[in-house]
Amino acid sequence: MKVTLKVWRQKNRHTPGHFASYQTPQLNPNMSFLEMLDVVNEDLASRGEEPIAFDHDCREGICGTCSLVINGKPHGPHRGVATCQTYLRSFKDGDEIIVEPFRARAFPLVKDLVVDRQAFDRIQHAGGFITVRTGSPPDANAIPVPKESADLAMDAAQCIGCGACVAACKNASAMLFVAAKVSHLGLLPQGQPERYRRVQAMVKQMDAEGFGACTVTGSCEAVCPKEITLDFIARMNRDYGVALLRGAPKKIAGGGA
Amino acid sequence: MNSMISFFKSSLGKKYLMAVTGILLFLFLIGHLIGNLQIFGPPELINQYAHFLHSKPLLVWGARLGLLLIVGIHISTAAQLTRENRQARPVAYAVPPVYGSSWQSRYMLVSGLVILAFIVYHLAHFTALLPGINGVGDFRRLETTLPGGEKGRDVYAMVVLGFQVWWVALFYLVAQGLLFVHLGHGLASMFQSLGFRNHVWAPRIAWFARGASTALLIGYAAIPAAIYLRLIGASHAEKAKHQLAVSPAGPRMFSIQTALSPLEADLSAETGKEAAK
Ligand code: HEM
Ligand code: FES
């Protein structure tokens, strides 16, 4: 099969970008979308043209590095699937496929389809961790965790931080990502001591990065390759409200001892 | 206090404000509808209700100022959120990603702005009683004798005469439609913003939003629709109408012609002709 690619090309942040059309060489329908780009790039390189820059790493749907907005949908046509796991058999011979980078002020463009998603790292640094060492895996049931909480925490922990939620949201909001990270630790016993401080710190950093707010359209959960749900955003909102009610910790007089 | 301010300045806190003001407005809409539905009873019912409200200026003005504050917060927060949300995506997509989102959720600002235009008109129409904008005449002249023997405003006749004008009825119906759109999304969204939602409650909340927005639509739209179709009040309005033309002596009364634009004078002449037939 062959397809026509309409791809966003942009040398760097400071030069304006544009769409360029490429007719692909003969392709195998069982190639992944990224393998198709590899083939196109080889073809471009052999003609002395600059290859298309795109992000990728594991190519098995677990690292969150691949991105791309394919025909208006981050990570391509399927639900719960990342770009690297999207195959050409999902398209038809002769299709025109429009490929754009994730677009958000907080994800500045690096080149062509590559954007800088370090804003997510900074949000994680603000509170997406447990300060003390939790040690090696404890004996089973040494710390009881209700099964439902463990299941929910696992659902949230699936987030691979790809940023598709931001790309899909009409407000370029990072709520789904932050909610997943807040909930994942907030549902487990080890995450309790810093639960409310964490949500405040991460939301503060999220706002500072210039992401939008949530209008509850549901686009994010529709494109999430790990099918994280909007329920987690409600959980984050709840924790944020509770954090306000709890207030700042009581001042300790005398400095202890 | 500091933590309060930083809370309501954050993106999540602004959504709390939207949701809380949204709930209060929704509760007001329910109360207002129950009051308005009295139009389906005899004229004395709503006239007495109106008389009762006006005899309690503290209550009325308290409610008005409270509502003004709530609407003000709702709108100014909506404006801030809209600005921030737009700034968050400076370069638009060639193919806009609309996956998984309902169109109601994408048009909250549009539906909100139409509701705002409606609120302004509605206040000028039935609260400030500006004579030039209703297509009928000076509603302030409509008087009736209340069951208690006192003189009072004939609110029943005012509403009926008001909605017999086709473009007024149509505008009210359009606004109710957009309120339905706004609340179809908003009533579900506000639970999410306040953190009240999980996999058990999400479907129930969706049903609540659908049910409540539909009930409000039916309730509110029934009034102008029934009046325009002359199902209620036509004979009472006919009797009350003469008060608009014959001005009782009084300092603030003025000729109806000066109050109406030529177009509206035409319109009232038309309705007059029809009535004569
Ligand atoms: C009777 C009048 C109104 C009622 C009952 C109402 C109710 C609501 C509710 C319940 C929400 C959902 C809040 C949330 O997502 O947490 C909402 C959102 C919204 N309202 Fe209203 N509203 C009214 C009037 C208006 C007006 C006059 C505007 C004018 C601009 C407006 C603009 C908005 C916008 C833009 C949102 C979405 C905010 C966002 O999620 O980004 N609303 N409204
Ligand atoms: S490349 Fe790792 S998730 Fe797609």
PDB file of all heavy atoms in Angstrom, chain A residues 30-63:
ATOM      1  N   ASN A  30       1.318  -4.199   7.636  1.00  0.00           N
ATOM      2  CA  ASN A  30       1.601  -4.615   9.010  1.00  0.00           C
ATOM      3  C   ASN A  30       2.732  -3.816   9.654  1.00  0.00           C
ATOM      4  O   ASN A  30       3.146  -4.111  10.770  1.00  0.00           O
ATOM      5  CB  ASN A  30       1.914  -6.113   9.060  1.00  0.00           C
ATOM      6  CG  ASN A  30       0.679  -6.916   8.681  1.00  0.00           C
ATOM      7  OD1 ASN A  30      -0.437  -6.545   9.051  1.00  0.00           O
ATOM      8  ND2 ASN A  30       0.869  -7.972   7.922  1.00  0.00           N
ATOM      9  N   MET A  31       3.218  -2.802   8.930  1.00  0.00           N
ATOM     10  CA  MET A  31       4.202  -1.907   9.546  1.00  0.00           C
ATOM     11  C   MET A  31       3.502  -1.056  10.601  1.00  0.00           C
ATOM     12  O   MET A  31       2.327  -0.719  10.453  1.00  0.00           O
ATOM     13  CB  MET A  31       4.735  -0.918   8.504  1.00  0.00           C
ATOM     14  CG  MET A  31       5.799  -1.426   7.610  1.00  0.00           C
ATOM     15  SD  MET A  31       6.114  -0.095   6.430  1.00  0.00           S
ATOM     16  CE  MET A  31       7.453  -0.860   5.536  1.00  0.00           C
ATOM     17  N   SER A  32       4.264  -0.677  11.631  1.00  0.00           N
ATOM     18  CA  SER A  32       3.703   0.286  12.575  1.00  0.00           C
ATOM     19  C   SER A  32       3.806   1.679  11.953  1.00  0.00           C
ATOM     20  O   SER A  32       4.538   1.885  10.970  1.00  0.00           O
ATOM     21  CB  SER A  32       4.450   0.248  13.899  1.00  0.00           C
ATOM     22  OG  SER A  32       5.683   0.913  13.770  1.00  0.00           O
ATOM     23  N   PHE A  33       3.074   2.606  12.549  1.00  0.00           N
ATOM     24  CA  PHE A  33       3.092   3.979  12.018  1.00  0.00           C
ATOM     25  C   PHE A  33       4.512   4.543  12.035  1.00  0.00           C
ATOM     26  O   PHE A  33       4.931   5.230  11.116  1.00  0.00           O
ATOM     27  CB  PHE A  33       2.158   4.862  12.848  1.00  0.00           C
ATOM     28  CG  PHE A  33       1.710   6.090  12.122  1.00  0.00           C
ATOM     29  CD1 PHE A  33       0.629   6.052  11.265  1.00  0.00           C
ATOM     30  CD2 PHE A  33       2.388   7.291  12.287  1.00  0.00           C
ATOM     31  CE1 PHE A  33       0.220   7.186  10.578  1.00  0.00           C
ATOM     32  CE2 PHE A  33       1.987   8.431  11.606  1.00  0.00           C
ATOM     33  CZ  PHE A  33       0.895   8.376  10.752  1.00  0.00           C
ATOM     34  N   LEU A  34       5.255   4.210  13.095  1.00  0.00           N
ATOM     35  CA  LEU A  34       6.624   4.734  13.202  1.00  0.00           C
ATOM     36  C   LEU A  34       7.546   4.079  12.175  1.00  0.00           C
ATOM     37  O   LEU A  34       8.439   4.736  11.624  1.00  0.00           O
ATOM     38  CB  LEU A  34       7.157   4.530  14.624  1.00  0.00           C
ATOM     39  CG  LEU A  34       6.369   5.237  15.733  1.00  0.00           C
ATOM     40  CD1 LEU A  34       7.046   5.039  17.089  1.00  0.00           C
ATOM     41  CD2 LEU A  34       6.199   6.719  15.448  1.00  0.00           C
ATOM     42  N   GLU A  35       7.330   2.789  11.913  1.00  0.00           N
ATOM     43  CA  GLU A  35       8.139   2.131  10.871  1.00  0.00           C
ATOM     44  C   GLU A  35       7.877   2.764   9.515  1.00  0.00           C
ATOM     45  O   GLU A  35       8.786   2.909   8.704  1.00  0.00           O
ATOM     46  CB  GLU A  35       7.836   0.623  10.839  1.00  0.00           C
ATOM     47  CG  GLU A  35       8.488  -0.109  12.002  1.00  0.00           C
ATOM     48  CD  GLU A  35       7.998  -1.546  12.174  1.00  0.00           C
ATOM     49  OE1 GLU A  35       6.821  -1.830  11.878  1.00  0.00           O
ATOM     50  OE2 GLU A  35       8.794  -2.365  12.621  1.00  0.00           O
ATOM     51  N   MET A  36       6.636   3.150   9.294  1.00  0.00           N
ATOM     52  CA  MET A  36       6.311   3.851   8.054  1.00  0.00           C
ATOM     53  C   MET A  36       7.114   5.151   7.963  1.00  0.00           C
ATOM     54  O   MET A  36       7.693   5.460   6.919  1.00  0.00           O
ATOM     55  CB  MET A  36       4.803   4.118   8.006  1.00  0.00           C
ATOM     56  CG  MET A  36       4.307   4.871   6.799  1.00  0.00           C
ATOM     57  SD  MET A  36       4.287   6.630   7.052  1.00  0.00           S
ATOM     58  CE  MET A  36       2.900   6.788   8.146  1.00  0.00           C
ATOM     59  N   LEU A  37       7.198   5.877   9.091  1.00  0.00           N
ATOM     60  CA  LEU A  37       7.979   7.120   9.067  1.00  0.00           C
ATOM     61  C   LEU A  37       9.464   6.809   8.821  1.00  0.00           C
ATOM     62  O   LEU A  37      10.151   7.559   8.125  1.00  0.00           O
ATOM     63  CB  LEU A  37       7.806   7.893  10.379  1.00  0.00           C
ATOM     64  CG  LEU A  37       6.452   8.577  10.589  1.00  0.00           C
ATOM     65  CD1 LEU A  37       6.404   9.264  11.954  1.00  0.00           C
ATOM     66  CD2 LEU A  37       6.168   9.605   9.493  1.00  0.00           C
ATOM     67  N   ASP A  38       9.956   5.683   9.387  1.00  0.00           N
ATOM     68  CA  ASP A  38      11.349   5.279   9.128  1.00  0.00           C
ATOM     69  C   ASP A  38      11.573   5.101   7.626  1.00  0.00           C
ATOM     70  O   ASP A  38      12.578   5.561   7.071  1.00  0.00           O
ATOM     71  CB  ASP A  38      11.658   3.953   9.837  1.00  0.00           C
ATOM     72  CG  ASP A  38      11.701   4.097  11.355  1.00  0.00           C
ATOM     73  OD1 ASP A  38      11.916   5.221  11.841  1.00  0.00           O
ATOM     74  OD2 ASP A  38      11.518   3.076  12.049  1.00  0.00           O
ATOM     75  N   VAL A  39      10.613   4.429   6.980  1.00  0.00           N
ATOM     76  CA  VAL A  39      10.768   4.158   5.541  1.00  0.00           C
ATOM     77  C   VAL A  39      10.752   5.466   4.754  1.00  0.00           C
ATOM     78  O   VAL A  39      11.572   5.695   3.859  1.00  0.00           O
ATOM     79  CB  VAL A  39       9.631   3.207   5.066  1.00  0.00           C
ATOM     80  CG1 VAL A  39       9.624   3.101   3.553  1.00  0.00           C
ATOM     81  CG2 VAL A  39       9.788   1.842   5.709  1.00  0.00           C
ATOM     82  N   VAL A  40       9.816   6.344   5.140  1.00  0.00           N
ATOM     83  CA  VAL A  40       9.745   7.640   4.455  1.00  0.00           C
ATOM     84  C   VAL A  40      11.046   8.415   4.659  1.00  0.00           C
ATOM     85  O   VAL A  40      11.581   9.028   3.722  1.00  0.00           O
ATOM     86  CB  VAL A  40       8.539   8.451   4.969  1.00  0.00           C
ATOM     87  CG1 VAL A  40       8.568   9.885   4.455  1.00  0.00           C
ATOM     88  CG2 VAL A  40       7.235   7.774   4.567  1.00  0.00           C
ATOM     89  N   ASN A  41      11.577   8.360   5.884  1.00  0.00           N
ATOM     90  CA  ASN A  41      12.816   9.092   6.176  1.00  0.00           C
ATOM     91  C   ASN A  41      13.996   8.549   5.386  1.00  0.00           C
ATOM     92  O   ASN A  41      14.849   9.313   4.918  1.00  0.00           O
ATOM     93  CB  ASN A  41      13.121   9.043   7.681  1.00  0.00           C
ATOM     94  CG  ASN A  41      12.386  10.145   8.420  1.00  0.00           C
ATOM     95  OD1 ASN A  41      11.854  11.076   7.803  1.00  0.00           O
ATOM     96  ND2 ASN A  41      12.347  10.035   9.746  1.00  0.00           N
ATOM     97  N   GLU A  42      14.052   7.222   5.240  1.00  0.00           N
ATOM     98  CA  GLU A  42      15.126   6.642   4.439  1.00  0.00           C
ATOM     99  C   GLU A  42      15.051   7.153   3.012  1.00  0.00           C
ATOM    100  O   GLU A  42      16.049   7.522   2.405  1.00  0.00           O
ATOM    101  CB  GLU A  42      14.987   5.110   4.436  1.00  0.00           C
ATOM    102  CG  GLU A  42      16.192   4.395   5.033  1.00  0.00           C
ATOM    103  CD  GLU A  42      15.891   2.929   5.238  1.00  0.00           C
ATOM    104  OE1 GLU A  42      16.064   2.165   4.284  1.00  0.00           O
ATOM    105  OE2 GLU A  42      15.441   2.574   6.349  1.00  0.00           O
ATOM    106  N   ASP A  43      13.809   7.185   2.528  1.00  0.00           N
ATOM    107  CA  ASP A  43      13.578   7.668   1.175  1.00  0.00           C
ATOM    108  C   ASP A  43      14.006   9.132   1.045  1.00  0.00           C
ATOM    109  O   ASP A  43      14.678   9.517   0.088  1.00  0.00           O
ATOM    110  CB  ASP A  43      12.080   7.496   0.867  1.00  0.00           C
ATOM    111  CG  ASP A  43      11.763   7.792  -0.577  1.00  0.00           C
ATOM    112  OD1 ASP A  43      12.454   7.223  -1.450  1.00  0.00           O
ATOM    113  OD2 ASP A  43      10.836   8.593  -0.826  1.00  0.00           O
ATOM    114  N   LEU A  44      13.643   9.935   2.054  1.00  0.00           N
ATOM    115  CA  LEU A  44      14.018  11.359   2.029  1.00  0.00           C
ATOM    116  C   LEU A  44      15.529  11.505   2.065  1.00  0.00           C
ATOM    117  O   LEU A  44      16.118  12.286   1.305  1.00  0.00           O
ATOM    118  CB  LEU A  44      13.406  12.094   3.232  1.00  0.00           C
ATOM    119  CG  LEU A  44      11.911  12.381   3.195  1.00  0.00           C
ATOM    120  CD1 LEU A  44      11.467  13.028   4.502  1.00  0.00           C
ATOM    121  CD2 LEU A  44      11.567  13.289   2.022  1.00  0.00           C
ATOM    122  N   ALA A  45      16.168  10.724   2.956  1.00  0.00           N
ATOM    123  CA  ALA A  45      17.615  10.840   3.110  1.00  0.00           C
ATOM    124  C   ALA A  45      18.310  10.464   1.802  1.00  0.00           C
ATOM    125  O   ALA A  45      19.284  11.121   1.388  1.00  0.00           O
ATOM    126  CB  ALA A  45      18.092   9.940   4.250  1.00  0.00           C
ATOM    127  N   SER A  46      17.794   9.423   1.139  1.00  0.00           N
ATOM    128  CA  SER A  46      18.456   8.990  -0.097  1.00  0.00           C
ATOM    129  C   SER A  46      18.315  10.051  -1.184  1.00  0.00           C
ATOM    130  O   SER A  46      19.099  10.109  -2.116  1.00  0.00           O
ATOM    131  CB  SER A  46      17.862   7.656  -0.570  1.00  0.00           C
ATOM    132  OG  SER A  46      16.563   7.881  -1.056  1.00  0.00           O
ATOM    133  N   ARG A  47      17.287  10.905  -1.048  1.00  0.00           N
ATOM    134  CA  ARG A  47      17.145  11.985  -2.028  1.00  0.00           C
ATOM    135  C   ARG A  47      17.817  13.263  -1.539  1.00  0.00           C
ATOM    136  O   ARG A  47      17.628  14.337  -2.116  1.00  0.00           O
ATOM    137  CB  ARG A  47      15.652  12.244  -2.289  1.00  0.00           C
ATOM    138  CG  ARG A  47      15.048  11.138  -3.148  1.00  0.00           C
ATOM    139  CD  ARG A  47      13.656  11.499  -3.631  1.00  0.00           C
ATOM    140  NE  ARG A  47      12.642  11.163  -2.633  1.00  0.00           N
ATOM    141  CZ  ARG A  47      11.727  12.013  -2.195  1.00  0.00           C
ATOM    142  NH1 ARG A  47      11.711  13.241  -2.620  1.00  0.00           N
ATOM    143  NH2 ARG A  47      10.844  11.641  -1.309  1.00  0.00           N
ATOM    144  N   GLY A  48      18.548  13.153  -0.430  1.00  0.00           N
ATOM    145  CA  GLY A  48      19.273  14.311   0.088  1.00  0.00           C
ATOM    146  C   GLY A  48      18.401  15.305   0.816  1.00  0.00           C
ATOM    147  O   GLY A  48      18.788  16.450   1.042  1.00  0.00           O
ATOM    148  N   GLU A  49      17.159  14.905   1.195  1.00  0.00           N
ATOM    149  CA  GLU A  49      16.279  15.817   1.943  1.00  0.00           C
ATOM    150  C   GLU A  49      16.384  15.529   3.427  1.00  0.00           C
ATOM    151  O   GLU A  49      16.737  14.423   3.838  1.00  0.00           O
ATOM    152  CB  GLU A  49      14.827  15.638   1.498  1.00  0.00           C
ATOM    153  CG  GLU A  49      14.523  16.268   0.160  1.00  0.00           C
ATOM    154  CD  GLU A  49      13.045  16.167  -0.176  1.00  0.00           C
ATOM    155  OE1 GLU A  49      12.224  16.562   0.679  1.00  0.00           O
ATOM    156  OE2 GLU A  49      12.715  15.677  -1.265  1.00  0.00           O
ATOM    157  N   GLU A  50      16.040  16.542   4.219  1.00  0.00           N
ATOM    158  CA  GLU A  50      16.084  16.413   5.675  1.00  0.00           C
ATOM    159  C   GLU A  50      14.999  15.428   6.140  1.00  0.00           C
ATOM    160  O   GLU A  50      13.821  15.616   5.826  1.00  0.00           O
ATOM    161  CB  GLU A  50      15.839  17.806   6.270  1.00  0.00           C
ATOM    162  CG  GLU A  50      15.835  17.886   7.760  1.00  0.00           C
ATOM    163  CD  GLU A  50      17.226  17.918   8.391  1.00  0.00           C
ATOM    164  OE1 GLU A  50      18.235  18.028   7.646  1.00  0.00           O
ATOM    165  OE2 GLU A  50      17.287  17.811   9.626  1.00  0.00           O
ATOM    166  N   PRO A  51      15.354  14.380   6.908  1.00  0.00           N
ATOM    167  CA  PRO A  51      14.330  13.451   7.401  1.00  0.00           C
ATOM    168  C   PRO A  51      13.371  14.153   8.382  1.00  0.00           C
ATOM    169  O   PRO A  51      13.710  15.191   8.948  1.00  0.00           O
ATOM    170  CB  PRO A  51      15.131  12.359   8.120  1.00  0.00           C
ATOM    171  CG  PRO A  51      16.539  12.540   7.697  1.00  0.00           C
ATOM    172  CD  PRO A  51      16.704  13.981   7.310  1.00  0.00           C
ATOM    173  N   ILE A  52      12.212  13.546   8.569  1.00  0.00           N
ATOM    174  CA  ILE A  52      11.211  14.103   9.492  1.00  0.00           C
ATOM    175  C   ILE A  52      11.592  13.706  10.921  1.00  0.00           C
ATOM    176  O   ILE A  52      11.746  12.521  11.209  1.00  0.00           O
ATOM    177  CB  ILE A  52       9.805  13.533   9.175  1.00  0.00           C
ATOM    178  CG1 ILE A  52       9.424  13.815   7.718  1.00  0.00           C
ATOM    179  CG2 ILE A  52       8.762  14.085  10.137  1.00  0.00           C
ATOM    180  CD1 ILE A  52       8.284  12.945   7.212  1.00  0.00           C
ATOM    181  N   ALA A  53      11.735  14.710  11.796  1.00  0.00           N
ATOM    182  CA  ALA A  53      12.074  14.395  13.189  1.00  0.00           C
ATOM    183  C   ALA A  53      10.814  14.016  13.949  1.00  0.00           C
ATOM    184  O   ALA A  53       9.796  14.698  13.869  1.00  0.00           O
ATOM    185  CB  ALA A  53      12.726  15.613  13.841  1.00  0.00           C
ATOM    186  N   PHE A  54      10.857  12.863  14.644  1.00  0.00           N
ATOM    187  CA  PHE A  54       9.729  12.455  15.505  1.00  0.00           C
ATOM    188  C   PHE A  54      10.278  11.719  16.710  1.00  0.00           C
ATOM    189  O   PHE A  54      11.361  11.153  16.677  1.00  0.00           O
ATOM    190  CB  PHE A  54       8.730  11.588  14.720  1.00  0.00           C
ATOM    191  CG  PHE A  54       9.271  10.271  14.229  1.00  0.00           C
ATOM    192  CD1 PHE A  54       9.097   9.110  14.977  1.00  0.00           C
ATOM    193  CD2 PHE A  54       9.955  10.181  13.014  1.00  0.00           C
ATOM    194  CE1 PHE A  54       9.595   7.892  14.524  1.00  0.00           C
ATOM    195  CE2 PHE A  54      10.450   8.975  12.562  1.00  0.00           C
ATOM    196  CZ  PHE A  54      10.276   7.816  13.306  1.00  0.00           C
ATOM    197  N   ASP A  55       9.486  11.714  17.801  1.00  0.00           N
ATOM    198  CA  ASP A  55       9.908  11.095  19.057  1.00  0.00           C
ATOM    199  C   ASP A  55       9.522   9.623  19.099  1.00  0.00           C
ATOM    200  O   ASP A  55       8.418   9.258  18.692  1.00  0.00           O
ATOM    201  CB  ASP A  55       9.216  11.801  20.234  1.00  0.00           C
ATOM    202  CG  ASP A  55      10.108  12.823  20.896  1.00  0.00           C
ATOM    203  OD1 ASP A  55      11.339  12.632  20.862  1.00  0.00           O
ATOM    204  OD2 ASP A  55       9.571  13.805  21.456  1.00  0.00           O
ATOM    205  N   HIS A  56      10.389   8.793  19.637  1.00  0.00           N
ATOM    206  CA  HIS A  56      10.042   7.373  19.822  1.00  0.00           C
ATOM    207  C   HIS A  56      11.126   6.762  20.688  1.00  0.00           C
ATOM    208  O   HIS A  56      12.240   7.253  20.777  1.00  0.00           O
ATOM    209  CB  HIS A  56       9.993   6.641  18.484  1.00  0.00           C
ATOM    210  CG  HIS A  56      11.309   6.698  17.761  1.00  0.00           C
ATOM    211  ND1 HIS A  56      12.185   5.652  17.706  1.00  0.00           N
ATOM    212  CD2 HIS A  56      11.922   7.721  17.110  1.00  0.00           C
ATOM    213  CE1 HIS A  56      13.272   6.005  17.032  1.00  0.00           C
ATOM    214  NE2 HIS A  56      13.134   7.255  16.663  1.00  0.00           N
ATOM    215  N   ASP A  57      10.763   5.670  21.363  1.00  0.00           N
ATOM    216  CA  ASP A  57      11.779   4.961  22.128  1.00  0.00           C
ATOM    217  C   ASP A  57      11.449   3.474  22.183  1.00  0.00           C
ATOM    218  O   ASP A  57      11.911   2.694  21.368  1.00  0.00           O
ATOM    219  CB  ASP A  57      11.930   5.572  23.528  1.00  0.00           C
ATOM    220  CG  ASP A  57      13.124   5.004  24.270  1.00  0.00           C
ATOM    221  OD1 ASP A  57      13.945   4.319  23.629  1.00  0.00           O
ATOM    222  OD2 ASP A  57      13.237   5.232  25.488  1.00  0.00           O
ATOM    223  N   CYS A  58      10.568   3.069  23.125  1.00  0.00           N
ATOM    224  CA  CYS A  58      10.364   1.633  23.321  1.00  0.00           C
ATOM    225  C   CYS A  58       9.675   0.967  22.138  1.00  0.00           C
ATOM    226  O   CYS A  58       9.914  -0.193  21.841  1.00  0.00           O
ATOM    227  CB  CYS A  58       9.537   1.394  24.589  1.00  0.00           C
ATOM    228  SG  CYS A  58       7.809   1.883  24.420  1.00  0.00           S
ATOM    229  N   ARG A  59       8.796   1.680  21.497  1.00  0.00           N
ATOM    230  CA  ARG A  59       7.968   1.165  20.397  1.00  0.00           C
ATOM    231  C   ARG A  59       7.130  -0.038  20.821  1.00  0.00           C
ATOM    232  O   ARG A  59       6.803  -0.893  20.011  1.00  0.00           O
ATOM    233  CB  ARG A  59       8.830   0.813  19.173  1.00  0.00           C
ATOM    234  CG  ARG A  59       9.550   2.031  18.623  1.00  0.00           C
ATOM    235  CD  ARG A  59       9.852   1.892  17.158  1.00  0.00           C
ATOM    236  NE  ARG A  59      10.493   3.106  16.651  1.00  0.00           N
ATOM    237  CZ  ARG A  59      10.626   3.383  15.367  1.00  0.00           C
ATOM    238  NH1 ARG A  59      10.172   2.525  14.454  1.00  0.00           N
ATOM    239  NH2 ARG A  59      11.196   4.484  14.986  1.00  0.00           N
ATOM    240  N   GLU A  60       6.850  -0.148  22.093  1.00  0.00           N
ATOM    241  CA  GLU A  60       5.930  -1.191  22.526  1.00  0.00           C
ATOM    242  C   GLU A  60       4.893  -0.635  23.516  1.00  0.00           C
ATOM    243  O   GLU A  60       4.368  -1.369  24.336  1.00  0.00           O
ATOM    244  CB  GLU A  60       6.677  -2.391  23.106  1.00  0.00           C
ATOM    245  CG  GLU A  60       7.636  -2.037  24.242  1.00  0.00           C
ATOM    246  CD  GLU A  60       8.368  -3.275  24.790  1.00  0.00           C
ATOM    247  OE1 GLU A  60       8.404  -4.294  24.075  1.00  0.00           O
ATOM    248  OE2 GLU A  60       8.874  -3.193  25.911  1.00  0.00           O
ATOM    249  N   GLY A  61       4.661   0.649  23.432  1.00  0.00           N
ATOM    250  CA  GLY A  61       3.536   1.227  24.164  1.00  0.00           C
ATOM    251  C   GLY A  61       3.741   1.397  25.653  1.00  0.00           C
ATOM    252  O   GLY A  61       2.762   1.507  26.398  1.00  0.00           O
ATOM    253  N   ILE A  62       4.989   1.401  26.149  1.00  0.00           N
ATOM    254  CA  ILE A  62       5.150   1.498  27.595  1.00  0.00           C
ATOM    255  C   ILE A  62       5.997   2.677  28.064  1.00  0.00           C
ATOM    256  O   ILE A  62       6.079   2.927  29.264  1.00  0.00           O
ATOM    257  CB  ILE A  62       5.762   0.203  28.195  1.00  0.00           C
ATOM    258  CG1 ILE A  62       7.077  -0.114  27.505  1.00  0.00           C
ATOM    259  CG2 ILE A  62       4.781  -0.948  28.102  1.00  0.00           C
ATOM    260  CD1 ILE A  62       7.897  -1.138  28.271  1.00  0.00           C
ATOM    261  N   CYS A  63       6.618   3.416  27.144  1.00  0.00           N
ATOM    262  CA  CYS A  63       7.527   4.447  27.645  1.00  0.00           C
ATOM    263  C   CYS A  63       6.933   5.848  27.572  1.00  0.00           C
ATOM    264  O   CYS A  63       7.350   6.744  28.297  1.00  0.00           O
ATOM    265  CB  CYS A  63       8.846   4.416  26.887  1.00  0.00           C
ATOM    266  SG  CYS A  63       8.731   5.048  25.217  1.00  0.00           S
TER     267      CYS A  63
END
